[in-house]
Amino acid sequence: MPEGHTIRRIALDHSSLFGGDVLAVSSPQGKFVSGAQLLDGGAIERIDTHGKHLFYIFPGERILHIHLGLIGKFTLGEGPAPVPAVGAVRLRMEGSNGYVDLRGATVVEVISPEKVQTILARLGADPLNRRTRWVEPFAKISKSSRTIGQLLMEQDVIAGVGNVYRAEVLFRAGLSPFVRGKDLKDEVFEAIWKDLQSLMREGVKANRIVTTKASDRDGRLGPNRENWHYVYRRAGEACRVCGTQIRTELMVGRNLFWCPTCQHA
DNA sequence: CTATGATGGAAAC
DNA sequence: TTTCCCTCATAGC
């Protein structure tokens, strides 16, 4: 479930759950025992995010770096941590008010501040970072012969956008995914960037990705993604705006969805 | 019950 | 470009 909004939300939730608590850090599943020992008994000073990366700043220049990948997930509970019910808990952190369990993440490691800088240097602009302006990613995009559908997925161009935001933001812009970066007008990308900023901020608040305007969904939002999206995972269904069948095709190894009528060059 | 794919990305070819 | 990591909801029998 993790695009950038999920990551930011996790950081906020974990900060408020733990405050400055001294934490018990462990690895019930056993694959992160030595790392957990480095952190056990410490209090988190701050939690930083960039794109899909989480950085928990512990004392002694020890930084817990987590990347959830496709299937990684945190669960959060109040009160004392129970014996893990289902699945393998790679990392558990317990404070005085509650605990978090981590399963399935791609990256869980304790790193130095220098290593953090190395990781950040590889990442592009994060739409959730208010200080970043659209011209920064556009400098890379406007030089690229790759398509905007490819570029939006590249974390060294824009950090935090994943397959859902890619499809949805292109639909909302009325832009074909197949337009090359170097052919993209600056005002079109500026509008996409601003839309991403506002969609992702809403995503942090709601803890889910909802991109449809109320007027395009009869004002109703159902469970299980019902009416949440314009095109994502709607292949073969009717476009909410024009009725054309939504199309799908693999792009950058992921299923891209778009409306061939509403989205053009 | 088993099979598959999923909001990701690194490593191996 | 393909394989692998790792977990779980959902689809299909």
Side-chain angles (χ1 to χ4, degrees):
Chain A
M1 327 220 144
E3 296 193 25
H5 70 298
T6 306
I7 301 311
R8 175 62 63 87
R9 175 57 178 260
I10 286 168
L12 295 171
D13 287 350
H14 290 190
S15 290
S16 61
L17 177 68
F18 292 139
D21 287 0
V22 167
L23 302 181
V25 183
S26 60
S27 178
Q29 165 235 42
K31 288 191 180 171
F32 188 60
V33 173
S34 58
Q37 282 171 351
L38 290 172
L39 308 175
D40 189 36
I44 295 168
E45 294 173 3
R46 195 176 72 250
I47 306 175
D48 291 338
T49 68
H50 192 105
K52 299 168 188 168
H53 294 256
L54 276 160
F55 302 99
Y56 295 74
I57 317 299
F58 278 81
E61 302 209 320
R62 289 170 179 176
I63 294 149
L64 172 62
H65 173 221
I66 292 171
H67 192 297
L68 294 178
L70 185 58
I71 60 182
K73 200 175 278 185
F74 267 112
T75 53
L76 182 154
E78 303 192 345
V83 173
V86 180
V89 176
R90 177 101 56 92
L91 166 69
R92 166 172 282 178
M93 296 188 277
E94 299 178 67
S96 53
N97 295 319
Y99 67 96
V100 299
D101 283 346
L102 175 64
R103 296 173 168 86
T106 297
V107 175
V108 186
E109 59 185 0
V110 179
I111 61 176
S112 66
E114 292 72 31
K115 181 70 190 298
V116 173
Q117 290 310 310
T118 305
I119 293 166
L120 292 179
R122 289 201 313 260
L123 295 172
D126 184 342
L128 287 174
N129 182 344
R130 287 171 190 280
R131 287 170 306 198
T132 307
R133 297 192 313 132
W134 65 275
V135 290
E136 187 183 315
F138 188 69
K140 294 176 182 171
I141 289 169
S142 61
K143 278 186 250 169
S144 176
S145 59
R146 283 168 297 177
T147 66
I148 186 63
Q150 293 176 297
L151 290 162
L152 282 173
M153 293 291 276
E154 285 166 17
Q155 300 300 301
D156 57 353
V157 177
I158 299 180
V161 171
N163 202 27
V164 181
Y165 282 124
R166 160 173 79 166
E168 294 296 306
V169 81
L170 287 172
F171 178 89
R172 288 166 56 100
L175 183 67
S176 163
F178 302 98
V179 173
R180 291 169 186 272
K182 62 185 179 185
D183 296 329
L184 198 59
K185 292 207 185 318
D186 54 0
E187 65 262 28
V188 174
F189 181 72
E190 182 181 8
I192 287 176
W193 178 262
K194 290 184 172 167
D195 198 32
L196 268 179
Q197 285 182 314
S198 93
L199 286 177
M200 291 179 74
R201 281 176 202 158
E202 285 302 310
V204 174
K205 274 193 219 165
N207 205 14
R208 61 182 181 175
I209 301 175
V210 175
T211 56
T212 46
K213 298 171 188 170
S215 54
D216 291 327
R217 56 169 131 87
D218 305 325
R220 296 197 308 160
L221 268 184
N224 302 324
R225 299 195 191 88
E226 188 186 323
N227 288 347
W228 293 9
H229 310 131
Y230 282 105
V231 292
Y232 177 71
R233 289 244 246 177
R234 297 194 65 239
E237 295 177 43
C239 174
R240 299 186 190 286
V241 174
C242 76
T244 304
Q245 279 197 1
I246 301 302
R247 294 189 55 186
T248 185
E249 173 177 309
L250 221 52
M251 185 187 274
V252 201
R254 317 300 303 282
N255 292 317
L256 168 71
F257 303 87
W258 79 100
C259 171
T261 302
C262 292
Q263 298 177 244
H264 35 77

